[in-house]
């Protein structure tokens, strides 16, 4: 597709279960970002991948959160032992090259609800 | 560290009226500044960005923003809004000397354009 694709679009899970969220970046984009948007709040940076460099994990809120990316393709964000405070919209973005000046293209997000 | 404050959570305005959405930032280093828009049921889309040069930046859909370094502000303006401008608007910064495109977002402003 032409844009960043995220799946599922909605996910309801029980507290304590693990979830996996998927992001397909725009083809050829070397940088990939995950953000979280809680209700009524701005976007929080979670993690950043750039090519084969070590990811910037500085935004991950706890060790229950992890993410992987294979090369310059798909990324998965995994949340283990979900808690109610994990309920949020998880947004993925990709950009053509790394750098603070480059435009990030966002997916429509995965709305996660933990019950 | 950087932070972004969007001073208004909601801005109601009548169609064809002018609008200003306010954004202030805090940073100990030089930053790039961005405005993103999120239309209902869509992903975030870049409206405009300030990297360097002229402090008045023009973006898509008739929006413009002015970078004011002394006031650490980057307010977004449009002289005449349309119903279709109803959306969530996010101000964001990134560290200009950094080698990532990690964005720090404000909490967002909902623009409600009334007929």
């Amino acid at each position: 597709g032409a844009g960043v694709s995220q799946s599922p679009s909605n996910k309801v899970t029980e507290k304590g279960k693990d979830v996996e969220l998927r992001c397909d970046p725009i083809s050829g984009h070397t940088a990939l970002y995950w953000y979280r948007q809680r209700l009524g709040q701005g976007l929080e940076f979670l993690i950043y991948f750039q090519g084969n460099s070590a990811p910037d994990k500085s935004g991950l809120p706890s060790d229950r959160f992890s993410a992987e990316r294979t090369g310059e393709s798909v990324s998965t964000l995994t949340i283990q032992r979900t808690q109610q405070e994990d309920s949020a919209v998880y947004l993925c973005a990709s950009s053509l090259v790394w750098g603070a000046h480059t435009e990030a293209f966002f997916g429509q997000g995965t709305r996660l609800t933990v019950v | 560290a950087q932070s972004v404050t969007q001073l208004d959570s909601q801005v109601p305005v009548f169609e064809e009226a002018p609008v200003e959405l306010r954004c202030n930032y805090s940073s100990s280093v030089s930053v790039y500044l961005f405005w993103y828009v999120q239309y209902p049921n869509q992903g975030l889309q870049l409206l405009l960005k300030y990297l360097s040069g002229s402090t008045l930046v023009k973006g898509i859909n008739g929006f413009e923003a002015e970078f004011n370094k002394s006031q650490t502000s980057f307010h977004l303006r449009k002289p005449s809004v349309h119903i279709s401008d109803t959306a969530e608007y996010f101000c964001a910064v990134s560290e200009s000397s950094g080698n990532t495109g990690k964005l720090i977002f404000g909490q967002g402003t909902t623009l409600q354009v009334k007929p």
Side-chain angles (χ1 to χ4, degrees):
Chain A
V4 176
S5 177
Q6 292 187 246
S7 61
S9 54
N10 283 284
K11 175 73 176 178
V12 180
T13 190
E14 292 181 352
K15 178 181 173 181
K17 296 285 180 81
D18 298 352
V19 294
E20 271 194 4
L21 312 180
R22 177 187 170 105
C23 173
D24 284 90
I26 294 172
S27 178
H29 279 198
T30 61
L32 186 146
Y33 311 81
W34 283 98
Y35 292 86
R36 177 172 71 175
Q37 184 179 18
R38 290 173 165 169
L39 187 64
Q41 300 186 22
L43 283 74
E44 302 171 70
F45 167 78
L46 296 177
I47 189 169
Y48 161 73
F49 294 92
Q50 170 54 42
N52 294 320
S53 301
D56 177 351
K57 303 180 181 179
S58 61
L60 294 179
S62 78
D63 58 8
R64 296 186 295 105
F65 287 73
S66 63
E68 292 183 351
R69 187 185 188 196
T70 305
E72 295 181 356
S73 61
V74 171
S75 176
T76 56
L77 176 68
T78 301
I79 308 173
Q80 296 178 310
R81 305 181 302 282
T82 52
Q83 304 295 314
Q84 288 186 331
E85 61 262 27
D86 300 333
S87 295
V89 177
Y90 289 82
L91 291 164
C92 176
S94 69
S95 61
L96 184 59
V97 295
W98 60 266
H101 62 289
T102 55
E103 177 180 354
F105 293 82
F106 284 80
Q108 294 191 19
T110 294
R111 183 177 298 277
L112 175 66
T113 304
V114 182
V115 297
Chain B
Q2 297 89 41
S3 66
V4 178
T5 302
Q6 291 184 243
L7 298 163
D8 306 293
S9 59
Q10 293 190 355
V11 174
V13 63
F14 286 106
E15 194 173 19
E16 297 183 7
V19 71
E20 177 180 82
L21 305 184
R22 296 179 293 169
C23 172
N24 286 86
Y25 69 93
S26 173
S27 178
S28 57
V29 299
S30 295
V31 294
Y32 295 144
L33 295 141
F34 304 81
W35 275 99
Y36 279 84
V37 59
Q38 186 173 30
Y39 297 106
N41 301 316
Q42 295 187 30
L44 272 76
Q45 177 182 358
L46 181 66
L47 262 183
L48 48 81
K49 62 183 177 182
Y50 172 79
L51 303 182
S52 64
S54 172
T55 57
L56 183 63
V57 180
K58 294 188 183 298
I60 62 172
N61 300 338
F63 283 92
E64 63 181 32
E66 185 157 19
F67 170 53
N68 188 319
K69 187 174 182 179
S70 62
Q71 296 187 5
T72 60
S73 67
F74 191 54
H75 301 333
L76 181 70
R77 302 186 183 99
K78 186 169 182 177
S80 176
V81 295
H82 303 288
I83 295 288
S84 59
D85 292 323
T86 294
E88 186 89 15
Y89 292 80
F90 293 94
C91 181
V93 302
S94 65
E95 185 180 330
S96 62
S97 61
N99 60 2
T100 82
K102 181 169 71 176
L103 293 163
I104 306 300
F105 285 88
Q107 294 188 343
T109 297
T110 301
L111 177 62
Q112 301 165 321
V113 182
K114 304 177 180 180

